[in-house]
Amino acid sequence: MTHPFARAGRELSPGHWFGPAAVLAVGCAIAWMLVGFGHGALLALVVVVGSVIVALWNSPLRATGHEPLQAVRTLATARNAVVVLWRPGCPYSAALRRRASREGLEVHWVNIWRDEDAFELCRSINGGTEETPTAMLLDPSLTVPVVIPASVPGIREATSAPVTSPSSITPIASFRAVPAPATTPSIARPRAL
């Protein structure tokens, strides 16, 4: 099977492999120490197998839970679709996925490391970074996706009400941080006992 990035002449970024390689290296080091201190080869083998499983789970090779972005866009021509751009090894994406499945929300999960179009879309939305999870609403009446808060309440709100116009949705870019106070409160001195 050819990887989607290979058709464009671009291989997977080496930085995507740092986390899995670190997990594997730490697992091998722990196994080496266990054998060196005489705890037995069986325990060391369990540690190595566990680290291999964790490394594969967080690697770009993980293909579970991925729908191609073009297939979701085709589906969105009939009705609104909530899409979450995610990547393996992202704890925030995993937490959102667990919460969304617990709530029974219909969400399409697109792995940005498996889909070049999703990768480019994620980078364009997030100012050049691979920040995940990135949630958006694909509406057939709009030409561009509407970015929504990547949370269960944000997804629930986006799927509950039909979108009539782009102005009816509050885009995430319009949220502003609360400015810090001009002066910091003074800390009281501790009382003498």
Side-chain angles (χ1 to χ4, degrees), residues 40-122:
L42 183 61
L43 183 59
L45 182 65
V46 168
V47 168
V48 168
V49 168
S51 64
V52 165
I53 290 170
V54 170
L56 284 174
W57 183 261
N58 291 320
S59 78
L61 298 176
R62 183 171 155 211
T64 59
H66 168 67
E67 296 179 58
L69 186 60
Q70 289 302 328
V72 177
R73 283 185 173 155
T74 307
L75 176 73
T77 58
R79 58 187 170 85
N80 293 347
V82 174
V83 177
V84 176
L85 304 176
W86 69 283
R87 61 182 167 82
C90 174
Y92 304 111
S93 298
L96 179 62
R97 183 177 216 136
R98 280 191 308 273
R99 289 186 199 120
S101 67
R102 193 179 311 134
E103 295 282 331
L105 298 174
E106 185 180 347
V107 179
H108 302 279
W109 298 90
V110 179
N111 183 345
I112 63 170
W113 288 355
R114 288 272 177 196
D115 192 327
E116 185 175 4
D117 296 332
F119 179 78
E120 296 300 329
L121 180 63
C122 183

Side-chain angles (χ1 to χ4, degrees), residues 21-40:
V23 167
L24 200 55
V26 168
C28 289
I30 291 172
W32 182 264
M33 287 190 323
L34 287 173
V35 169
F37 288 122
H39 291 290

